[in-house]
Amino acid sequence: MSVTAPGTLTEGLERLRAALTALELGLALPGADAAQHARDELVAQIGDYLLPRLRQMDAPLLMVVGGSTGAGKSTLVNSLVGTVVSPAGVLRPTTRAPVLAANPGDVRWYEDDRILPGLPRTTGGAAAPGGLQIVATPSLPNGLALLDSPDIDSVLAENRELAGQLLAAADAWLFVTTAARYADAVPWEYLRAARDRGTALSVVLNRVPADAEEEVRRHLRSMLDEQGLDGAELLVVPETRLDAELLPAEALSPVRAWLDSLSADSHARASLVRRTLDGALASLPGRVDAVETAAEEQLAAAAELRSDVEQAYVAALDEVDAALRNGSLLRGEVLARWHEVVGTGDLMRALESRVGWLRDRLRSAITGRPPAQ
C-alpha cells in the first residue's frame, strides 16, 4: 500500500516546479547560464525524484550506478546481475539508453512513468537512445533496483545530461571510480553535488592493485572526509581478470555483501531513502534562493533597459519637436535633400504638367473644342 505525503508538501512542490518551469532567464547577464542550469536541475529533481518518492514511500530503493568513462560501471552491474545486460565499453561514445535491473517482483514499480516520465520504457530487449531498458532478474533481491547510467564525462552532451538527470532521481548513488582516476576533477563535481543535495552515497574503488590497496584506500578516504563525505561507504574491488565479461565472485564480494546486507534490512533501506529525501528537501531553499536572486537581477536589468529606451525615445521626440519649432529641421540633411529634388527638375516638370492639363481643360470649357490629346 502506498504511503502518501501530506498534500500541502506535494502541492507546494508542484507549484514550485510550475513556477520554475515558467521562469525565463533570457538576458545574458553574468551567472545567467549557471542559474538556468540550477533551475533545470531543480525542475528535474522535483519531477523525477521528490514527487514520486513522497507519493510512494514504499517503492523499492533505486540505486543509480554512475561514474566516469571506463570506470567499470556496466561491468559491475552485469556482474551483480549475473549476465551482460548493459554492454561495456564498445558502445562508447555513442548515445546510450540506461539499463534498470530489478527483481521480477519489483518491475511493476518502473513500468509506468512514476519516475523519469520522459523516458519511454522497453522490456525484453535493448532500448533506443532516449529510452529506458528494464531488465527483470532474480539475481537482485526485492526492494532494491540498480540503474546503470551513462558516463558523467561522456564526449556527448546528451549522455552527460542524462547521467545528471538519473543521478538526481536516485535514492542513493553507487559511484564507481578507479585507482588510476579517483582524483580526477569531474567525478568530484558530482560527489560534491551529492553532498549538497543530501544524497546517500557509496563509492566503489575499482581495479585496485593488491600492492597499493591500503595506500589508495587511505588517500581516497581522506579526500572524501575533506569534502564532507565522511559518511560515504567505500567499497574496494581489486584488479582482476574478467570471466566471460564479468567480475569473479571473490572480487565482487565487497559490493555483493554490502548490497545483500542492505536488501536484507528493510529498516536500513527505509533509513537510506529517508536520508536522501530529507537531504533533497533541505537543499531546496538555498538552491531556490540562488535562482530567485538571478531572476531578480534579470528583472532589474530589464527595468533598466526599458527605462533607457523610454528616455531615449522621449529625448528623440523632444529633439524633433524643437527642430520643428526653430526651423532647424529644414536645414542640414533635410534641406540638402530638398535641393536635390528641386535641382533634378522633377518638381518643375511635375508642376508644368499639371498646369498644362488645367489650361487645356479650361480652354475646352470656353470654346467647346475637345482638349488636345
Side-chain angles (χ1 to χ4, degrees), residues 34-209:
Q36 288 177 339
H37 182 68
R39 185 269 314 275
D40 294 343
E41 284 187 336
L42 281 164
V43 170
Q45 190 173 32
I46 292 172
D48 292 340
Y49 174 66
L50 286 172
L51 288 174
R53 175 49 75 187
L54 285 167
R55 288 168 177 155
Q56 292 179 309
M57 291 295 294
D58 56 342
L61 185 150
L62 178 60
M63 183 168 291
V64 174
V65 184
S68 303
T69 302
K73 305 183 304 301
S74 298
T75 299
L76 181 66
V77 171
N78 292 335
S79 301
L80 290 168
V81 172
T83 187
V84 176
V85 296
S86 183
V90 294
L91 289 181
R92 298 177 178 88
T94 57
T95 303
R96 297 192 59 205
V99 176
L100 189 152
N103 186 276
D106 288 337
V107 167
R108 63 185 178 87
W109 291 101
Y110 305 106
E111 289 178 324
D112 59 18
D113 60 356
R114 183 185 68 87
I115 63 166
L116 301 169
L119 301 182
R121 272 59 170 167
T122 299
T123 57
L132 175 64
Q133 179 184 353
I134 300 176
V135 176
T137 172
S139 299
L140 292 180
N142 281 305
L144 175 65
L146 295 179
L147 178 55
D148 180 25
S149 73
D151 303 328
I152 60 173
D153 57 353
S154 171
V155 297
L156 298 178
E158 55 264 38
N159 279 347
R160 298 195 302 272
E161 292 170 1
L162 181 56
Q165 180 186 4
L166 298 180
L167 291 171
D171 290 306
W173 289 6
L174 189 61
F175 207 83
V176 184
T177 187
T178 66
R181 298 192 58 186
Y182 67 87
D184 289 356
V186 173
W188 286 97
E189 294 177 11
Y190 283 81
L191 294 174
R192 284 189 289 269
R195 175 199 64 196
D196 295 342
R197 298 176 186 176
T199 304
L201 173 69
S202 301
V203 178
V204 175
L205 183 59
N206 197 16
R207 305 193 192 113
V208 181

